[in-house]
Amino acid sequence: MNAEERMTKGQLEEEIQYFRKIFQEIRLFPIGNISDIDEEWRKINEGQSCYHYWKRETPCDNCVVMRAATTKEEKGKLEIVNGRIYQVIARYIEVDEKPYVIEMIRCLES
C-alpha cells in the first residue's frame, strides 16, 4: 500500500474538497466485511442501496467499489445511464487505519 492511500480524517476532508472541483459525486464506503459493502452503505444512507444512485434495482455487474475493496487498488469504469457517459473511479484508502473505498463520479459532457 502506498503512503497516499493512508491518511487522517483531516487529510481525507482536504482531498474530498479538492476532488469536488472535478467530480459531481464523491461517496465514501466503509469496508468491513467485503461481501456486505452495500449493507454497510445502507446503514449510513437512510436505507438506500449504493446502486440507487444509478436508479437500478440490482447491484452493478462491474462494481468498481467491490473490486477496489478486494484488490486494495484503484479501479475505474465508464457507466452509460440514459444516454449519458459517466466516469467512475474507486480507490481503496485507509483513514485513521480503517479501510474505505472512495468513489468519484463525473458525467463526461462531451
Side-chain angles (χ1 to χ4, degrees):
M1 175 177 297
N2 297 328
E4 68 266 9
E5 295 165 337
R6 292 188 176 122
M7 61 187 75
T8 65
K9 186 176 179 180
Q11 290 169 319
L12 173 64
E13 290 170 1
E14 286 178 20
E15 188 165 293
I16 287 173
Q17 289 303 313
Y18 172 77
F19 283 121
R20 285 203 190 283
K21 296 175 184 176
I22 303 167
F23 296 91
Q24 288 89 21
E25 185 75 26
I26 298 178
R27 307 190 308 169
L28 189 65
F29 290 82
I31 305 301
N33 183 346
I34 290 177
S35 63
D36 292 332
I37 288 174
D38 186 54
E39 186 61 34
E40 292 296 317
W41 177 259
R42 287 179 208 225
K43 287 179 188 175
I44 60 174
N45 287 281
E46 301 172 4
Q48 290 185 353
S49 62
C50 63
Y51 45 87
H52 182 271
Y53 178 83
W54 303 108
K55 298 182 180 21
R56 292 199 168 136
E57 298 297 321
T58 59
C60 300
D61 291 331
N62 182 17
C63 178
V64 291
V65 172
M66 181 73 76
R67 289 185 15 227
T70 302
T71 63
K72 297 184 178 182
E73 297 174 347
E74 181 175 294
K75 299 295 178 183
K77 70 177 179 177
L78 296 176
E79 187 76 30
I80 300 173
V81 178
N82 296 328
R84 299 183 87 180
I85 300 173
Y86 294 86
Q87 177 186 28
V88 184
I89 299 171
R91 195 173 104 212
Y92 178 87
I93 58 174
E94 290 183 2
V95 180
D96 296 330
E97 300 182 21
K98 294 180 183 168
Y100 292 87
V101 170
I102 186 169
E103 181 186 56
M104 299 166 283
I105 303 168
R106 73 176 176 162
C107 183
L108 302 175
E109 297 292 332
S110 55

